[in-house]
Amino acid sequence: MTAAIKFEHVKKSFADKLVINGLNLEIKQGELFVLVGNSGSGKTTTIKMINRLEDPTTGQVLVNEQPTTSYDLQKLRWNIGYVLQQIALFPNMTVAQNISLIPEIKGECRPKDKKQEKKTEQLLTEVGLDPKSYSSRYPSELSGGEQQRIGILRAIASQPPIVLMDEPFSALDPLSRTNLQDLVIDLHENLHNTIVFVTHDMSEALKIADRIGIMKDGELLQVGEPNEILRHPANQFVQDFFRGSLGKDIYETPVRQAIFFNRLAEDHGQESEQLPTISVDEKLAKVLSLLCNAEKVAVQDHDGKFIGFLDRQWVIKYLNGINDFS
């Protein structure tokens, strides 16, 4: 798989402060890559160098194998969607006008274009908002979660090959946040675009990421698939960062997140038919209650596909914090 985005020996300084130190990273075409780290780790500066809101002090960033500095700046940014924590909708524009803004700027449609209106209606429907109720509303008439849905639609309306998301859900309530995480997963599966998502929440990263990059003090500590990093953290910081993200009440850990610690059971489909089943969105407490009367619990995705199982031995290891779940 080719790299959509590549950082080569990138350093970034502001005045005398080095904030990115020798970053080398490849983000694959069509993957949902999550950069995670504490405040000040350099993750936001990193994605800002993709659409040239910041430029490297040394080194280079490549998009589709070309240095970002070789692109016309306006065209580069038009082909990269951008979603921020601060939902920057235009208050004097309706929902439909906000969504259609980038296609109109790019000359892909004209105002009140019937084809674009249908596309906007389709996008609203895909994110669970009735076009008849929402198209003519203004941002002030929407909840925070609804505004952020519109912000996401505006970013993808012209189908950019790359979308950047900088802590887009951190200011939202837990329910809205969960719903929008599911939305990002669904949109990515449908559009097959490359998404670079920044968060300080490891549980969010575990839920949505194809791969995760963990940053600390401007350095990339580890890159890998979620289960790979969970099983083999590169150092104590990575291990502690994961553990701290599981929450104070471990019994509230979603099965979707917890199952990364367990082996997948792709060859046990027939066995799973006789087991109690649970959704990936249920809490670990539910697993414990089912294991009172069963040796194992089968885990299913949203489509009812069997993806793995949790057994009593695994739960004991998990609750005791043992790192090697192989």
Side-chain angles (χ1 to χ4, degrees):
M1 186 177 291
T2 58
I5 303 163
K6 190 174 183 180
F7 292 80
E8 293 184 340
H9 311 292
V10 169
K11 292 186 178 183
K12 177 64 178 178
S13 298
F14 293 103
D16 296 329
K17 184 178 181 181
L18 181 65
V19 294
I20 302 294
N21 186 14
L23 177 61
N24 290 287
L25 172 65
E26 290 189 15
I27 298 172
K28 301 173 185 176
Q29 191 81 39
E31 79 171 330
L32 204 170
F33 187 90
V34 178
L35 274 174
V36 66
N38 292 326
S39 178
S41 61
K43 54 191 186 297
T44 291
T45 300
T46 297
I47 69 162
K48 283 184 174 181
M49 288 190 286
I50 297 172
N51 63 356
R52 293 195 64 197
L53 289 175
E54 300 289 349
D55 282 326
T57 304
T58 62
Q60 64 177 355
V61 181
L62 295 91
V63 170
N64 296 326
E65 301 182 351
Q66 293 186 47
T68 54
T69 51
S70 71
Y71 289 92
D72 176 84
L73 181 59
Q74 189 177 58
K75 290 182 179 179
L76 174 72
R77 291 178 179 170
W78 279 353
N79 285 286
I80 298 177
Y82 197 28
V83 184
L84 300 168
Q85 177 184 336
Q86 298 81 16
I87 309 163
L89 299 179
F90 289 95
N92 60 330
M93 290 184 175
T94 65
V95 164
Q97 289 169 336
N98 267 283
I99 294 172
S100 302
L101 180 64
I102 302 303
E104 288 179 12
I105 291 175
K106 292 174 68 175
E108 297 173 353
C109 67
R110 291 186 174 186
K112 298 183 179 181
D113 180 270
K114 294 297 182 183
K115 186 177 180 180
Q116 180 60 37
E117 287 180 4
K118 289 183 178 180
K119 184 176 180 181
T120 298
E121 290 174 0
Q122 179 184 351
L123 288 170
L124 285 168
T125 301
E126 286 181 5
V127 300
L129 299 177
D130 182 4
K132 293 181 180 178
S133 299
Y134 284 89
S135 291
S136 59
R137 292 189 189 182
Y138 289 88
S140 61
E141 301 174 277
L142 307 177
S143 69
E146 290 169 343
Q147 289 185 40
Q148 197 59 290
R149 285 173 187 262
I150 304 307
I152 292 171
L153 293 185
R154 187 176 65 183
I156 68 169
S158 64
Q159 297 184 327
I162 296 172
V163 178
L164 310 179
M165 296 188 171
D166 188 5
E167 304 217 37
F169 311 143
S170 59
L172 301 177
D173 63 89
L175 180 59
S176 296
R177 186 167 186 157
T178 298
N179 290 338
L180 285 168
Q181 289 165 355
D182 292 335
L183 172 63
V184 168
I185 293 169
D186 291 341
L187 289 174
H188 181 249
E189 289 177 352
N190 292 334
L191 299 174
H192 308 293
N193 49 5
T194 303
I195 297 178
V196 186
F197 191 106
V198 164
T199 182
H200 63 274
D201 185 346
M202 184 61 83
S203 61
E204 184 167 65
L206 287 169
K207 178 176 179 178
I208 70 173
D210 293 326
R211 287 194 305 149
I212 297 172
I214 302 161
M215 298 191 73
K216 179 178 184 286
D217 298 331
E219 296 188 356
L220 190 63
L221 301 183
Q222 187 171 1
V223 175
E225 295 179 1
N227 58 341
E228 175 189 348
I229 297 177
L230 282 164
R231 292 174 186 270
H232 305 291
N235 54 35
Q236 191 65 43
F237 175 85
V238 175
Q239 179 178 314
D240 292 344
F241 201 82
F242 270 85
R243 293 294 178 190
S245 297
L246 293 178
K248 295 180 180 179
D249 188 352
I250 199 168
Y251 301 102
E252 290 298 302
T253 301
V255 171
R256 179 193 293 274
Q257 176 176 326
I259 197 171
F260 283 121
F261 284 101
N262 200 36
R263 61 192 183 279
L264 291 179
E266 297 174 354
D267 299 328
H268 297 272
Q270 291 183 344
E271 178 186 0
S272 70
E273 295 177 2
Q274 285 77 46
L275 295 175
T277 59
I278 193 169
S279 165
V280 291
D281 292 321
E282 286 283 2
K283 305 296 185 182
L284 189 58
K286 180 69 172 180
V287 176
L288 296 178
S289 67
L290 291 173
L291 287 175
C292 291
N293 300 306
E295 291 293 326
K296 299 176 183 177
V297 174
V299 182
Q300 295 180 342
D301 64 14
H302 294 297
D303 298 322
K305 180 182 177 183
F306 175 65
I307 58 174
F309 67 86
L310 303 177
D311 56 26
R312 294 176 184 177
Q313 183 181 16
W314 172 83
V315 170
I316 292 171
K317 289 181 178 180
Y318 181 76
L319 295 178
N320 285 331
I322 294 177
N323 294 320
D324 185 5
F325 287 81
S326 59

Short mmCIF file of all heavy atoms in Angstrom, two decimals, residues 89-101 104 112 120 124 133-142 150 154:
data_model
loop_
_atom_site.label_atom_id
_atom_site.label_comp_id
_atom_site.label_asym_id
_atom_site.label_seq_id
_atom_site.Cartn_x
_atom_site.Cartn_y
_atom_site.Cartn_z
N LEU A 89 -18.41 26.61 11.84
CA LEU A 89 -19.46 26.81 10.84
C LEU A 89 -19.72 28.30 10.69
O LEU A 89 -19.59 29.07 11.64
CB LEU A 89 -20.74 26.10 11.27
CG LEU A 89 -20.68 24.58 11.46
CD1 LEU A 89 -22.02 24.05 11.90
CD2 LEU A 89 -20.22 23.89 10.18
N PHE A 90 -20.12 28.70 9.49
CA PHE A 90 -20.45 30.10 9.27
C PHE A 90 -21.84 30.39 9.81
O PHE A 90 -22.83 29.80 9.33
CB PHE A 90 -20.36 30.44 7.78
CG PHE A 90 -18.95 30.45 7.26
CD1 PHE A 90 -18.40 29.33 6.66
CD2 PHE A 90 -18.16 31.59 7.40
CE1 PHE A 90 -17.10 29.33 6.19
CE2 PHE A 90 -16.86 31.61 6.94
CZ PHE A 90 -16.32 30.48 6.33
N PRO A 91 -21.95 31.26 10.81
CA PRO A 91 -23.23 31.45 11.50
C PRO A 91 -24.33 32.04 10.63
O PRO A 91 -25.51 31.85 10.91
CB PRO A 91 -22.87 32.39 12.65
CG PRO A 91 -21.65 33.11 12.21
CD PRO A 91 -20.88 32.12 11.38
N ASN A 92 -23.94 32.76 9.59
CA ASN A 92 -24.94 33.40 8.73
C ASN A 92 -25.35 32.53 7.55
O ASN A 92 -26.10 32.95 6.67
CB ASN A 92 -24.42 34.74 8.21
CG ASN A 92 -23.15 34.58 7.40
OD1 ASN A 92 -22.36 33.66 7.63
ND2 ASN A 92 -22.94 35.47 6.43
N MET A 93 -24.85 31.29 7.51
CA MET A 93 -25.20 30.35 6.46
C MET A 93 -26.04 29.22 7.03
O MET A 93 -25.83 28.80 8.17
CB MET A 93 -23.94 29.75 5.81
CG MET A 93 -23.13 30.71 4.97
SD MET A 93 -21.76 29.82 4.17
CE MET A 93 -21.07 31.13 3.15
N THR A 94 -26.95 28.71 6.22
CA THR A 94 -27.75 27.56 6.65
C THR A 94 -26.87 26.31 6.66
O THR A 94 -25.74 26.30 6.16
CB THR A 94 -28.94 27.33 5.71
OG1 THR A 94 -28.44 26.97 4.41
CG2 THR A 94 -29.81 28.57 5.62
N VAL A 95 -27.43 25.24 7.21
CA VAL A 95 -26.74 23.95 7.20
C VAL A 95 -26.38 23.54 5.78
O VAL A 95 -25.23 23.16 5.49
CB VAL A 95 -27.63 22.88 7.87
CG1 VAL A 95 -27.14 21.47 7.54
CG2 VAL A 95 -27.66 23.08 9.38
N ALA A 96 -27.33 23.62 4.87
CA ALA A 96 -27.08 23.23 3.48
C ALA A 96 -26.00 24.09 2.85
O ALA A 96 -25.14 23.60 2.11
CB ALA A 96 -28.37 23.32 2.67
N GLN A 97 -26.01 25.39 3.13
CA GLN A 97 -25.00 26.30 2.56
C GLN A 97 -23.62 26.00 3.13
O GLN A 97 -22.62 26.06 2.40
CB GLN A 97 -25.39 27.75 2.84
CG GLN A 97 -26.60 28.21 2.03
CD GLN A 97 -27.13 29.56 2.50
OE1 GLN A 97 -26.92 29.97 3.65
NE2 GLN A 97 -27.84 30.26 1.61
N ASN A 98 -23.54 25.69 4.41
CA ASN A 98 -22.25 25.33 5.01
C ASN A 98 -21.67 24.07 4.37
O ASN A 98 -20.48 24.00 4.07
CB ASN A 98 -22.41 25.11 6.52
CG ASN A 98 -22.13 26.37 7.32
OD1 ASN A 98 -20.98 26.76 7.52
ND2 ASN A 98 -23.20 27.02 7.78
N ILE A 99 -22.52 23.06 4.15
CA ILE A 99 -22.06 21.80 3.57
C ILE A 99 -21.59 22.00 2.14
O ILE A 99 -20.59 21.42 1.70
CB ILE A 99 -23.18 20.74 3.64
CG1 ILE A 99 -23.48 20.38 5.09
CG2 ILE A 99 -22.78 19.48 2.85
CD1 ILE A 99 -24.69 19.49 5.27
N SER A 100 -22.28 22.86 1.38
CA SER A 100 -21.98 23.05 -0.05
C SER A 100 -20.85 24.04 -0.30
O SER A 100 -20.45 24.23 -1.46
CB SER A 100 -23.24 23.53 -0.78
OG SER A 100 -24.30 22.62 -0.63
N LEU A 101 -20.35 24.65 0.75
CA LEU A 101 -19.40 25.77 0.58
C LEU A 101 -18.16 25.38 -0.21
O LEU A 101 -17.79 26.05 -1.19
CB LEU A 101 -19.01 26.32 1.95
CG LEU A 101 -18.02 27.48 1.93
CD1 LEU A 101 -18.64 28.69 1.25
CD2 LEU A 101 -17.59 27.83 3.36
N GLU A 104 -18.66 24.60 -3.91
CA GLU A 104 -18.92 25.83 -4.66
C GLU A 104 -17.63 26.61 -4.88
O GLU A 104 -17.36 27.11 -5.97
CB GLU A 104 -19.94 26.69 -3.91
CG GLU A 104 -21.36 26.14 -3.95
CD GLU A 104 -22.34 26.99 -3.17
OE1 GLU A 104 -21.97 28.12 -2.79
OE2 GLU A 104 -23.47 26.53 -2.93
N LYS A 112 -27.44 26.77 -5.21
CA LYS A 112 -28.77 26.22 -5.52
C LYS A 112 -28.73 25.22 -6.67
O LYS A 112 -29.72 25.01 -7.35
CB LYS A 112 -29.76 27.35 -5.82
CG LYS A 112 -29.98 28.29 -4.64
CD LYS A 112 -31.03 29.35 -4.96
CE LYS A 112 -31.24 30.26 -3.74
NZ LYS A 112 -32.27 31.29 -4.00
N THR A 120 -26.28 17.00 -0.79
CA THR A 120 -26.35 17.48 0.59
C THR A 120 -27.41 16.73 1.38
O THR A 120 -27.19 16.35 2.53
CB THR A 120 -26.65 19.00 0.60
OG1 THR A 120 -25.59 19.69 -0.06
CG2 THR A 120 -26.79 19.51 2.03
N LEU A 124 -26.71 14.45 4.73
CA LEU A 124 -27.43 14.64 5.99
C LEU A 124 -28.11 13.35 6.43
O LEU A 124 -28.09 12.99 7.61
CB LEU A 124 -28.46 15.76 5.84
CG LEU A 124 -27.90 17.18 5.81
CD1 LEU A 124 -28.98 18.16 5.36
CD2 LEU A 124 -27.38 17.57 7.20
N SER A 133 -35.74 18.73 7.94
CA SER A 133 -35.72 19.46 9.21
C SER A 133 -34.47 20.30 9.39
O SER A 133 -34.50 21.33 10.08
CB SER A 133 -35.83 18.48 10.38
OG SER A 133 -37.03 17.75 10.33
N TYR A 134 -33.36 19.87 8.76
CA TYR A 134 -32.07 20.49 9.08
C TYR A 134 -31.48 21.37 7.99
O TYR A 134 -30.67 22.26 8.28
CB TYR A 134 -31.04 19.41 9.45
CG TYR A 134 -31.25 18.85 10.84
CD1 TYR A 134 -32.08 17.76 11.06
CD2 TYR A 134 -30.62 19.43 11.94
CE1 TYR A 134 -32.28 17.25 12.33
CE2 TYR A 134 -30.80 18.93 13.21
CZ TYR A 134 -31.64 17.85 13.41
OH TYR A 134 -31.84 17.36 14.67
N SER A 135 -31.84 21.18 6.74
CA SER A 135 -31.17 21.91 5.64
C SER A 135 -31.25 23.42 5.80
O SER A 135 -30.27 24.14 5.53
CB SER A 135 -31.79 21.51 4.30
OG SER A 135 -31.47 20.19 3.98
N SER A 136 -32.38 23.93 6.25
CA SER A 136 -32.57 25.38 6.33
C SER A 136 -32.28 25.96 7.71
O SER A 136 -32.45 27.16 7.92
CB SER A 136 -34.00 25.73 5.91
OG SER A 136 -34.94 25.09 6.76
N ARG A 137 -31.81 25.13 8.64
CA ARG A 137 -31.48 25.65 9.96
C ARG A 137 -30.14 26.37 9.93
O ARG A 137 -29.30 26.15 9.05
CB ARG A 137 -31.42 24.52 11.00
CG ARG A 137 -32.75 23.87 11.30
CD ARG A 137 -32.61 22.93 12.49
NE ARG A 137 -33.82 22.13 12.68
CZ ARG A 137 -33.98 21.27 13.67
NH1 ARG A 137 -33.02 21.09 14.56
NH2 ARG A 137 -35.09 20.57 13.77
N TYR A 138 -29.93 27.20 10.96
CA TYR A 138 -28.65 27.88 11.13
C TYR A 138 -27.88 27.22 12.28
O TYR A 138 -28.48 26.57 13.16
CB TYR A 138 -28.87 29.37 11.40
CG TYR A 138 -29.35 30.12 10.17
CD1 TYR A 138 -30.71 30.22 9.87
CD2 TYR A 138 -28.43 30.71 9.31
CE1 TYR A 138 -31.14 30.88 8.73
CE2 TYR A 138 -28.85 31.38 8.17
CZ TYR A 138 -30.20 31.46 7.88
OH TYR A 138 -30.62 32.12 6.75
N PRO A 139 -26.54 27.36 12.30
CA PRO A 139 -25.74 26.71 13.33
C PRO A 139 -26.21 26.97 14.75
O PRO A 139 -26.14 26.07 15.62
CB PRO A 139 -24.34 27.28 13.09
CG PRO A 139 -24.31 27.54 11.62
CD PRO A 139 -25.70 28.02 11.28
N SER A 140 -26.71 28.19 15.03
CA SER A 140 -27.15 28.51 16.40
C SER A 140 -28.35 27.69 16.83
O SER A 140 -28.66 27.61 18.02
CB SER A 140 -27.50 30.01 16.50
OG SER A 140 -28.56 30.33 15.60
N GLU A 141 -29.03 27.06 15.88
CA GLU A 141 -30.21 26.25 16.17
C GLU A 141 -29.86 24.77 16.38
O GLU A 141 -30.75 23.95 16.57
CB GLU A 141 -31.23 26.37 15.05
CG GLU A 141 -31.70 27.79 14.80
CD GLU A 141 -32.61 27.89 13.60
OE1 GLU A 141 -32.10 27.98 12.46
OE2 GLU A 141 -33.84 27.87 13.79
N LEU A 142 -28.56 24.45 16.37
CA LEU A 142 -28.12 23.06 16.48
C LEU A 142 -27.42 22.81 17.81
O LEU A 142 -26.83 23.72 18.40
CB LEU A 142 -27.15 22.72 15.34
CG LEU A 142 -27.61 23.00 13.91
CD1 LEU A 142 -26.48 22.67 12.94
CD2 LEU A 142 -28.86 22.22 13.58
N ILE A 150 -22.24 18.50 11.04
CA ILE A 150 -22.23 19.37 9.87
C ILE A 150 -20.79 19.75 9.52
O ILE A 150 -20.42 19.83 8.34
CB ILE A 150 -23.07 20.64 10.10
CG1 ILE A 150 -24.51 20.27 10.49
CG2 ILE A 150 -23.06 21.52 8.85
CD1 ILE A 150 -25.19 19.32 9.54
N ARG A 154 -19.15 19.10 5.92
CA ARG A 154 -18.52 20.15 5.12
C ARG A 154 -17.11 19.74 4.69
O ARG A 154 -16.69 20.01 3.57
CB ARG A 154 -18.47 21.47 5.90
CG ARG A 154 -17.98 22.63 5.04
CD ARG A 154 -18.03 23.94 5.79
NE ARG A 154 -17.10 23.96 6.91
CZ ARG A 154 -16.99 24.98 7.77
NH1 ARG A 154 -17.78 26.03 7.64
NH2 ARG A 154 -16.14 24.94 8.75
#
